Amino acid sequence: MSKLKNLHSKWLRDPEYREAYDALDKEYSLALAIVRARVGSGLTQEEVARRMKTTQSTIARMEAGRTVPSTRTLERFARATGTHLRISFESGHA
């Protein structure tokens, strides 16, 4: 295991670190879903941006997780990529 993975494993035992890490995971899982939808549709960031009537840099920020898009923006993204937006709630209980 790499030094970084060892440190990460050690830090995950710290409740504050774990909480911050878990919070980021939720944000980045949305970004990952956005990337997968675009790539799965065979489109470039520029092509999606053109379809959404926005800029490539806006799409790049969404994919990098540097912005939390509104539901309306996600709907536009879904239409542009030929996908369907589905939002769900899951129980917080294991």
Side-chain angles (χ1 to χ4, degrees), residues 34 37-43 48 51-52 74-84:
I34 289 169
R38 179 184 60 77
V39 171
S41 69
L43 299 169
V48 172
R51 290 177 180 199
M52 290 178 64
L74 291 173
E75 289 275 358
R76 289 176 46 224
F77 179 86
R79 279 193 303 277
T81 58
T83 60
H84 175 76

Side-chain angles (χ1 to χ4, degrees), residues 12-29:
L12 281 174
R13 289 182 235 136
D14 176 355
E16 287 182 37
Y17 179 87
R18 181 59 177 228
E19 184 178 342
Y21 179 79
D22 288 346
L24 286 176
D25 181 54
K26 291 174 186 130
E27 289 179 32
Y28 285 109
S29 60

Side-chain angles (χ1 to χ4, degrees), residues 29-56:
S29 60
L30 174 59
L32 181 59
I34 289 169
V35 172
R36 285 182 176 160
R38 179 184 60 77
V39 171
S41 69
L43 299 169
T44 65
Q45 289 180 346
E46 183 65 39
E47 290 168 325
V48 172
R50 197 173 316 114
R51 290 177 180 199
M52 290 178 64
K53 299 184 183 346
T54 190
T55 62
Q56 177 273 329

